[in-house]
Amino acid sequence: MTEKTRKKEKIPRQAMPEQEPDVRKHNFDEVPLGYSKDLAMLEAGRCLNCKKPVCVEGCPVSVDIPGFIKLIKEDKLTESIRLVWEKNSLPAVCGRVCPQEAQCEGLCILGKKGDPVAIGNLERFVADHERNHGAGELPPKAASTGKKVAIVGSGPSGLTVAGDLIAKGHEVTIFEAFHKPGGVLVYGIPEFRLPKEIVYSEVNFLERLGANLQCNMVIGRTVSMEELFEEGFDAIYVGVGAGLPSFLNIPGENLIGIYSANEYLTRANLMKAYLFPEYDTPIAKGKNVAVFGAGNVAMDAARTAMRLGADTVRVIYRRSRDEMPARAAELHHAEEEGIEFYLLTAPTRFIGDEDGRITGMECLKMELGEPDASGRRRPVPIENSKFQLECDLAVIAVGAGANPLLTQSTKDIETNKWGYIIAEPETGKTTYKGVWAGGDIVSGQATVILAMGAGRMSSISMHNYLTWGW
Amino acid sequence: MFEILKRQEMANGTVVMNEINAPLIAKKAQPGQFVILKANETGERIPLTMADSNPQKGTITIIYQIVGKSTSIFKSLQVGETFQDIIGPLGQATHLENVGTVVCVGGGTGVAVVHPITRALKEKGNNVKAIIGARTKDLIILEDKMKAASHELFVCTDDGSYGHHGFVTDILKDILQKEDVKLVVGIGPVPMMNFLCKVTEEFKVKTLVSLNAIMVDGTGMCGCCRVSVGGKTKFACVDGPEFDGHEVDFKELSQRLQAYTKEEAVALDKYNCTCKAS
Ligand SMILES: Cc1cc2nc3c(=O)[nH]c(=O)nc-3n(C[C@H](O)[C@H](O)[C@H](O)COP(=O)(O)OP(=O)(O)OC[C@H]3O[C@@H](n4cnc5c(N)ncnc54)[C@H](O)[C@@H]3O)c2cc1C
Ligand SMILES: Cc1cc2nc3c(=O)[nH]c(=O)nc-3n(C[C@H](O)[C@H](O)[C@H](O)COP(=O)(O)OP(=O)(O)OC[C@H]3O[C@@H](n4cnc5c(N)ncnc54)[C@H](O)[C@@H]3O)c2cc1C
Ligand code: SF4
Ligand code: SF4
Ligand code: FES
């Protein structure tokens, strides 16, 4: 280890100030409060500015990590955010929700001996600083090409394509099925993790750049893909996400009080049911809540239930702690807030009362057997391990599938056997001429940054097409 | 923003009709399909069937019963005012073909939903009999329109204040006994549809019902609207809303419709108080 490395390690990783668990579990305000400029400078000071920055290899969109951190150190915050924007158009979002421990920070050289540089926190810092204090200057735009592009779905994937293509001089219209833009960023991820303000400000930025946003447009129903072409769009990007809830398919699943995570979180976030009756959409407030699954979605549901006033919230998962796919920060926050984990446990049926409301469930204990196709050890039921748990609210967060609404009404788009759209891996081109697709509707539910990466790739291919042809 | 062009109160003000400017939806709307409406920023997403649509004028018509806070807010909207959001057309259109003799039955506000289907079945060349019913005379809606949409119309009231004294199913049974009916379409309150299906099951006549499950997105994204049909879970918003009535688990549906009774009462109380106060 060089002298330089040793010295840098002396500065510990700067924790981001947070709301105390006992306070935050009763409100929907954001949990981490953000770095002050001093903290950000201190943390930026830890980066070694590596010649061969391995962190960048961990970032799906190759943000120039040492570059933007160096600019923070030099107090050139506007230059810093501009550098991030070159690769990532939603840094305030990614800084908050990327699974950094598995991506950029997971590879940071400092992580070998101690704690990696808090890349996500720094990215969030420069983005927030620009949003709150920046001049709001618009980036330069290429001269108009006269080409029209339709973007279906306003999740991170669609927004990325919109930003890229508008900068290249194309006319962009975004069609969104919901009454508000943002996709999962708005209907799924809760306010306490990603304030909706941030997403709307990103969308607003695109609108200021000239993008036309049309909500309440269910493509395939209100207007078909063919009609979009007839109306004069030259190319279409499909980024409709993986909007189909998975259920457990066990008896009793239609009892009142059993929600898909999509429904539970949509009510809470998009419809603001946590402000009921000020907002009109109701949501069940459970005392004993069970959440199935162990990804980010499950953590979001569990922490939402806690904030809605639950006494106990249990996350029930059939595998062990090591297999839990949620971001490290989410697990940590959930535990701090008093969420209990029932690992190696699988539900077998739900139990209800005569009014059809859930009162409990029956579970089996599991143990880990041989590895399965995913490489993870398969959970196998332990004999005679049946037991019952009481609960009055259950949220099922075991994944999502491909929503067939658009693909079924668009026969030229081919899908695979699970209903995901088939798109060329290097370009995002679908089997329908003039149509690209990316994000969760191609990959299955993944991450924000991968959906954005897919959008970036497609936008390059679309620009080529609009310039040179298919 | 979707502007209200015409507004009419029916059934002593318990039911309201709105004709709304929504050209894109009007262009696509088919009998049996619905829209989701949200009145304002804090509003709930409420599904309502399109009682009519006019692609030339670019309008859709909804007819709704005032039952809770959201429909009370809808009722307060006047001509020239707007719904903030309307999404559609959603759901599967009714499968319409010429099968021979059909009976269309509407109960309460269900008449508004069954009317466009009745009209379309007549246009397809079917021999259409229609039965409409309500608790009492004043609550009967769309009698004239249903008369025009069918070859023969029967009206019933529970209290005998108008037409036949009794339930729509009494008349239905009569018709089923006398004629070779190929299809029954029954739309109304859940207990009515349930009872109607029991009757038609006896006669082994195919029966379509429209299920009003609680919904959020209406695009198959949330699973809120799940109903059991033929022992399988279906999403009413994308697989329906119409289903083979003989396969529907009505008990589960009526229970699930009670999911938020407590919350709904709170919301309505609060709304009525503040409305009166101001
Ligand atoms: C609760 C939850 C928490 C998550 N947490 C994280 C996290 O912490 N970190 C992370 O990296 N990832 C997280 N993810 C995953 C991440 O959000 C997704 O991978 C990402 O949003 C996918 O982006 P997308 O643009 O492909 O689709 P989406 O974000 O799903 O957006 C698709 C949009 O298309 C619209 N649409 C659908 N059909 C139509 C149609 N026919 N016409 C018009 N519009 C249509 C939808 O309404 C939606 O707005 C989370 C997901 C969920 C559900
Ligand atoms: C596909 C479909 C078509 C419909 N068409 C019509 C129609 O043409 N005319 C008409 O009068 N009614 C129709 N309804 C029923 C209508 O949606 C409800 O009456 C309305 O949502 C009540 O809202 P509220 O806030 O006024 O009442 P609330 O007090 O909230 O609820 C009263 C009852 O309405 C039902 N309900 C509540 N919220 C919803 C919701 N989000 N979605 C569905 N049902 C809900 C529940 O059973 C509840 O107990 C239809 C429902 C569906 C699903
Ligand atoms: S975009 Fe995500 S993975 Fe890339 S540097 Fe930022 S936080 Fe890390
Ligand atoms: S690997 Fe770590 S120390 Fe090196 S440049 Fe990247 S963030 Fe800085
Ligand atoms: S209303 Fe959400 S899936 Fe039907």
Side-chain angles (χ1 to χ4, degrees):
Chain A
M1 196 184 287
T2 65
E3 184 61 26
K4 191 173 154 204
T5 321
R6 223 173 282 128
K7 207 168 91 222
K8 295 277 175 179
E9 269 196 347
K10 291 218 184 83
I11 314 171
R13 177 172 159 125
Q14 300 301 303
M16 187 175 275
E18 291 176 350
Q19 279 197 70
E20 287 303 319
D22 278 344
V23 176
R24 73 189 191 226
K25 70 191 222 192
H26 302 296
N27 69 49
F28 278 80
D29 299 337
E30 193 175 13
V31 171
L33 302 170
Y35 276 154
S36 63
K37 197 161 152 192
D38 291 345
L39 277 180
M41 300 284 244
L42 211 53
E43 182 62 28
R46 296 180 64 227
C47 174
L48 305 176
N49 205 354
C50 303
K51 286 247 154 45
K52 274 178 74 187
V54 275
C55 52
V56 177
E57 285 163 34
C59 172
V61 295
S62 312
V63 166
D64 181 353
I65 297 167
F68 93 81
I69 294 182
K70 182 158 173 281
L71 289 165
I72 296 181
K73 262 189 278 192
E74 294 165 0
D75 199 7
K76 294 185 182 151
L77 297 182
T78 309
E79 287 82 351
S80 176
I81 190 65
R82 290 222 169 113
L83 189 61
V84 177
W85 275 339
E86 280 178 21
K87 300 288 177 169
N88 179 349
S89 49
L90 304 171
V93 174
C94 293
R96 285 171 167 84
V97 307
C98 267
Q100 286 96 5
E101 71 276 9
Q103 298 178 350
C104 51
E105 295 180 21
L107 292 186
C108 167
I109 197 88
L110 289 189
K112 294 239 163 23
K113 285 274 150 114
D115 290 326
V117 174
I119 303 169
N121 288 354
L122 289 171
E123 192 170 316
R124 167 185 165 157
F125 167 76
V126 275
D128 287 358
H129 191 273
E130 166 66 22
R131 193 175 64 256
N132 298 325
H133 308 287
E137 226 177 277
L138 292 178
K141 228 168 98 172
S144 169
T145 61
K147 301 281 184 188
K148 283 173 68 181
V149 180
I151 296 187
V152 184
S154 63
S157 195
L159 293 180
T160 302
V161 178
D164 285 0
L165 292 182
I166 204 149
K168 290 184 172 135
H170 308 295
E171 194 184 307
V172 169
T173 306
I174 306 170
F175 295 100
E176 168 55 47
F178 266 129
H179 56 275
K180 288 237 158 89
V184 170
L185 305 181
V186 165
Y187 78 70
I189 303 181
E191 181 77 16
F192 56 81
R193 204 145 74 76
L194 176 65
K196 303 308 141 213
E197 216 24 65
I198 294 176
V199 184
Y200 297 140
S201 119
E202 297 295 350
V203 176
N204 183 260
F205 177 76
L206 289 176
E207 289 188 290
R208 279 170 50 220
L209 275 175
N212 173 5
L213 171 69
Q214 294 196 16
C215 289
N216 300 326
M217 294 287 281
V218 186
I219 304 305
R221 285 286 162 93
T222 318
V223 174
S224 70
M225 295 279 287
E226 290 78 7
E227 284 167 321
L228 289 179
F229 281 124
E230 284 161 22
E231 274 176 31
F233 285 101
D234 299 290
I236 306 177
Y237 181 76
V238 177
V240 292
L244 185 75
S246 296
F247 285 93
L248 296 164
N249 298 316
I250 59 174
E253 209 159 10
N254 291 350
L255 289 164
I256 300 171
I258 303 179
Y259 286 91
S260 76
N262 275 0
E263 179 187 351
Y264 189 68
L265 292 169
T266 300
R267 284 181 181 270
N269 300 320
L270 180 74
M271 305 311 296
K272 297 224 184 300
Y274 63 91
L275 298 174
F276 178 88
E278 205 182 307
Y279 279 69
D280 299 343
T281 305
I283 192 165
K285 293 183 179 173
K287 284 289 155 210
N288 291 303
V289 181
V291 177
F292 301 92
N296 291 325
V297 187
M299 296 310 128
D300 285 346
R303 297 173 70 199
T304 299
M306 189 55 101
R307 282 160 174 74
L308 286 170
D311 294 332
T312 56
V313 181
R314 300 179 173 122
V315 167
I316 297 175
Y317 183 46
R318 28 184 218 129
R319 300 178 193 256
S320 73
R321 184 165 199 102
D322 291 344
E323 285 89 16
M324 294 175 87
R327 293 176 74 217
E330 306 318 320
L331 285 173
H332 172 70
H333 281 145
E335 274 183 328
E336 280 187 337
E337 288 165 15
I339 312 283
E340 297 166 35
F341 291 90
Y342 274 54
L343 304 173
L344 290 166
T345 305
T348 48
R349 71 184 174 98
F350 291 107
I351 305 164
D353 62 15
E354 64 277 10
D355 296 330
R357 286 178 192 267
I358 182 176
T359 56
M361 71 197 124
E362 201 170 81
C363 300
L364 279 180
K365 283 269 157 215
M366 313 293 273
E367 61 191 351
L368 291 181
E370 295 298 306
D372 63 13
S374 71
R376 298 181 299 181
R377 292 176 66 195
R378 186 199 308 271
V380 248
I382 301 176
E383 254 177 75
N384 299 321
S385 65
K386 208 186 267 175
F387 68 103
Q388 292 198 350
L389 274 178
E390 264 182 45
C391 78
D392 56 355
L393 179 77
V395 184
I396 296 161
V398 294
N403 188 317
L405 196 124
L406 179 122
T407 44
Q408 271 174 4
S409 66
T410 316
K411 57 182 188 318
D412 289 337
I413 289 190
E414 269 179 48
T415 56
N416 66 18
K417 64 175 169 182
W418 298 284
Y420 293 107
I421 295 179
I422 298 173
E424 269 182 25
E426 313 79 42
T427 60
K429 279 182 182 173
T430 69
T431 49
Y432 187 179
K433 185 168 177 228
V435 179
W436 283 254
D440 283 4
I441 188 58
V442 171
S443 61
Q445 195 169 72
T447 60
V448 170
I449 193 67
L450 286 171
M452 292 176 59
R456 167 60 47 88
M457 182 184 75
S458 290
S459 76
I460 295 169
S461 170
M462 291 172 84
H463 178 66
N464 287 340
Y465 167 72
L466 294 169
T467 318
W468 315 105
W470 184 255
Chain B
M1 292 289 190
F2 299 82
E3 191 185 343
I4 298 175
L5 303 176
K6 267 195 203 147
R7 178 183 182 283
Q8 188 195 330
E9 293 193 5
M10 309 167 149
N12 286 336
T14 59
V15 175
V16 173
M17 182 280 288
N18 286 159
E19 193 178 308
I20 305 165
N21 185 41
L24 288 176
I25 301 174
K27 211 168 120 191
K28 285 286 168 64
Q30 298 290 320
Q33 288 189 303
F34 66 98
V35 285
I36 283 192
L37 307 93
K38 189 167 162 291
N40 51 36
E41 189 56 33
T42 54
E44 190 180 0
R45 292 169 66 101
I46 294 293
L48 294 174
T49 309
M50 286 176 278
D52 211 342
S53 60
N54 185 330
Q56 282 80 40
K57 274 167 65 188
T59 60
I60 60 168
T61 303
I62 50 169
I63 296 179
Y64 51 93
Q65 187 172 7
I66 315 308
V67 291
K69 179 175 176 184
S70 296
T71 43
S72 299
I73 295 174
F74 288 8
K75 185 183 177 182
S76 75
L77 297 175
Q78 302 301 320
V79 170
E81 294 188 293
T82 56
F83 283 90
Q84 190 172 75
D85 303 287
I86 303 185
I87 299 104
L90 301 170
Q92 302 295 330
T94 313
H95 181 71
L96 297 164
E97 55 180 346
N98 188 341
V99 291
T101 299
V102 301
V103 185
C104 295
V105 187
T109 337
V111 178
V113 180
V114 89
H115 169 249
I117 299 170
T118 310
R119 192 175 55 192
L121 284 168
K122 189 178 174 194
E123 278 163 14
K124 284 275 168 199
N126 291 285
N127 173 26
V128 180
K129 298 184 185 304
I131 313 171
I132 61 174
R135 270 201 336 274
T136 185
K137 182 178 182 212
D138 293 346
L139 301 182
I140 292 281
I141 59 168
L142 300 179
E143 186 184 349
D144 292 348
K145 290 204 161 179
M146 282 302 282
K147 195 171 245 163
S150 59
H151 295 97
E152 196 176 3
L153 174 72
F154 303 87
V155 184
C156 325
T157 49
D158 297 1
D159 66 356
S161 52
Y162 185 55
H164 169 79
H165 183 172
F167 298 125
V168 286
T169 39
D170 303 343
I171 310 244
L172 176 63
K173 234 185 226 167
D174 254 15
I175 301 177
L176 291 174
Q177 261 152 7
K178 287 191 215 130
E179 303 206 31
D180 179 22
V181 175
K182 290 289 190 261
L183 173 74
V184 172
V185 182
I187 302 174
V190 176
M192 177 211 116
M193 292 193 285
N194 189 7
F195 191 49
L196 179 142
C197 287
K198 293 221 169 84
V199 170
T200 58
E201 208 160 14
E202 260 174 60
F203 292 86
K204 299 203 166 39
V205 179
K206 187 174 167 198
T207 305
L208 280 183
V209 293
S210 178
L211 303 187
N212 55 337
I214 298 181
M215 297 184 176
V216 181
D217 61 303
T219 61
M221 191 280 280
C222 77
C224 169
C225 61
R226 55 199 196 276
V227 289
S228 293
V229 181
K232 291 207 181 76
T233 295
K234 301 272 177 189
F235 290 178
C237 70
V238 282
D239 301 322
E242 284 166 22
F243 292 99
D244 179 346
H246 297 153
E247 306 247 285
V248 171
D249 182 342
F250 285 106
K251 181 170 176 226
E252 181 186 280
L253 174 66
S254 55
Q255 286 183 332
R256 285 184 66 82
L257 284 168
Q258 306 293 312
Y260 297 102
T261 338
K262 259 195 333 224
E263 290 84 355
E264 285 152 359
V266 172
L268 185 60
D269 270 4
K270 216 166 160 209
Y271 176 74
N272 283 338
C273 282
T274 45
C275 256
K276 282 190 198 109
S278 59

